[in-house]
Amino acid sequence: MSYTNTLPDVTNNSYAENELTLRWVGMENIAVPLTVPIANGDPQSVPAKTKIFVSLDKKKAKGIHMSRIHAMVNQLSQHVLSKETIDRLLAEAVVSQAGISNHASIHLAFDLILKKPALLSEEYGYQSYPVVIQGETLENGGCRYKMEVTVPYSSTCPCSASLARQLYARAVDEVFSGNTIDKESLLAWIQSEKGSVATPHSQRSYAYIKMTIDDNAWPDLSSLIFHLEDVIGTPVQTAVKRQDEQEFARLNATNLMFCEDTARRIKSCLERMSYVSDYWFKVEHQESLHAHNAVVIDQK
């Protein structure tokens, strides 16, 4: 046999030892920069990690053409991320396999960094939100999509607040034992160190939300995240002044929440989203009183 400069192509020129179909074959952990649209702002460039797969439906085929779908992931860097872009990528991924695949799927994971103003002052900062977008082709030719977002927030325990109020009442009764209280004396005592009688326990908390949006139009991610923060009522802050910290304390006092309260707010919100066909979420209050977390898990 004479030597040839033609590179061997095992995928095309050999056959599978066991002629069976495989659900998903592809690659994980591919790095690619994405350009994500932001409502009322410039698109944001973010580093993403990607998984992409195609089905192997031709039983005799040795394997898929991985380099072809890798090249398609690379092309994401040249387009603004959208449903139309991913629809097209998934369809082309199937076509690229030259008849051995019928389906394709993709998984995009990245952190969206959003600019957040302070509550009252002119300060602002940037906050990072983990986002996952998953898509796969359907038998009818459309695509099914799922989105995941993680939203941190603050939660103050209603029970702890109630117990703290009782201690304040007891302290007032002990310090001001008469039938009447001088207003100036009371205000001076409240604002002194002696007036710090008890503090309700609060904790950084998280909502992990997974939404199935099927083939519906995608929501703007920044608007979705800020809407969820508004629904919860006590979003974590970035740069603050003292007036912002005071306002944050006021918000927590007017939004006392068990994990069940937060979960019901989120569930009610998701139920009203017409583009969401299914959902799963987990609410996690990372307790400051206990060494364990308080958790709610629910789904549609």
Side-chain angles (χ1 to χ4, degrees):
M1 178 181 295
S2 61
Y3 174 78
T4 176
N5 285 323
T6 303
L7 296 176
D9 188 350
V10 175
T11 300
N12 282 330
N13 298 327
S14 58
Y15 297 99
E17 295 177 5
N18 297 300
E19 295 184 4
L20 298 168
T21 62
L22 297 173
R23 183 66 182 109
W24 294 121
V25 184
M27 293 162 285
E28 295 183 337
N29 211 32
I30 302 174
V32 63
L34 298 177
T35 301
V36 182
I38 303 294
N40 303 316
D42 296 328
Q44 182 178 134
S45 180
V46 298
K49 290 297 179 70
T50 306
K51 305 175 187 178
I52 187 165
F53 302 95
V54 292
S55 59
L56 184 52
D57 299 300
K58 188 174 181 179
K59 295 180 179 181
K60 289 185 177 182
K62 184 72 171 176
I64 69 166
H65 304 281
M66 286 199 181
S67 62
R68 299 177 186 176
I69 56 175
H70 194 158
M72 292 176 180
V73 170
N74 293 342
Q75 292 299 312
L76 287 175
S77 64
Q78 301 179 23
H79 303 278
V80 174
L81 181 64
S82 68
K83 180 181 184 300
E84 292 72 25
T85 299
I86 304 302
D87 281 349
R88 184 167 57 252
L89 182 149
L90 291 173
E92 291 175 353
V94 173
V95 173
S96 75
Q97 300 303 303
I100 67 173
S101 300
N102 296 327
H103 299 284
S105 69
I106 194 167
H107 178 285
L108 301 166
F110 55 90
D111 284 352
L112 192 62
I113 299 177
L114 300 179
K115 182 178 180 179
K116 293 181 64 174
L119 292 170
L120 294 178
S121 73
E122 295 182 356
E123 292 293 322
Y124 68 90
Y126 296 89
Q127 187 169 326
S128 178
Y129 299 86
V131 175
V132 173
I133 297 175
Q134 301 178 69
E136 66 177 82
T137 57
L138 300 172
E139 295 288 347
N140 62 9
C143 296
R144 174 187 293 118
Y145 288 100
K146 296 181 180 180
M147 286 187 173
E148 301 177 22
V149 294
T150 299
V151 179
Y153 60 97
S154 174
S155 60
T156 300
C157 175
C159 181
S160 179
S162 176
L163 295 170
R165 289 194 299 270
Q166 185 185 52
L167 289 176
Y168 265 102
R170 181 189 301 171
V172 169
D173 187 52
E174 292 174 352
V175 173
F176 303 93
S177 56
N179 292 326
T180 60
I181 300 176
D182 177 69
K183 181 179 179 180
E184 293 299 324
S185 299
L186 176 62
L187 290 175
W189 177 81
I190 289 174
Q191 295 180 80
S192 70
E193 289 187 3
K194 293 180 180 179
S196 295
V197 177
T199 302
H201 74 82
S202 301
Q203 52 265 319
R204 184 179 298 172
S205 305
Y206 294 89
Y208 308 96
I209 302 170
K210 301 180 181 181
M211 300 169 292
T212 300
I213 58 178
D214 290 328
D215 213 15
N216 296 322
W218 290 7
D220 175 80
L221 288 170
S222 59
S223 299
L224 171 65
I225 289 168
F226 288 146
H227 178 57
L228 289 168
E229 286 189 332
D230 288 341
V231 166
I232 295 169
T234 49
V236 298
Q237 302 298 300
T238 56
V240 295
K241 296 289 189 180
R242 281 176 294 175
Q243 62 262 44
D244 304 309
E245 190 167 353
Q246 186 180 62
E247 176 66 6
F248 185 69
R250 188 192 69 80
L251 281 176
N252 274 270
T254 56
N255 285 282
L256 301 173
M257 292 183 289
F258 291 129
C259 57
E260 296 92 332
D261 296 312
T262 313
R264 289 185 173 112
R265 291 184 185 186
I266 292 172
K267 182 167 186 172
S268 178
C269 174
L270 293 171
E271 287 285 347
R272 293 194 300 269
M273 292 181 176
S274 60
Y275 57 85
V276 175
S277 63
D278 198 3
Y279 59 77
W280 177 98
F281 68 86
K282 175 183 176 182
V283 164
E284 179 182 277
H285 287 192
Q286 298 185 351
E287 294 273 356
S288 59
L289 172 64
H290 305 290
H292 58 261
N293 298 333
V295 172
V296 173
I297 296 173
D298 195 34
Q299 63 189 50
K300 191 173 179 67

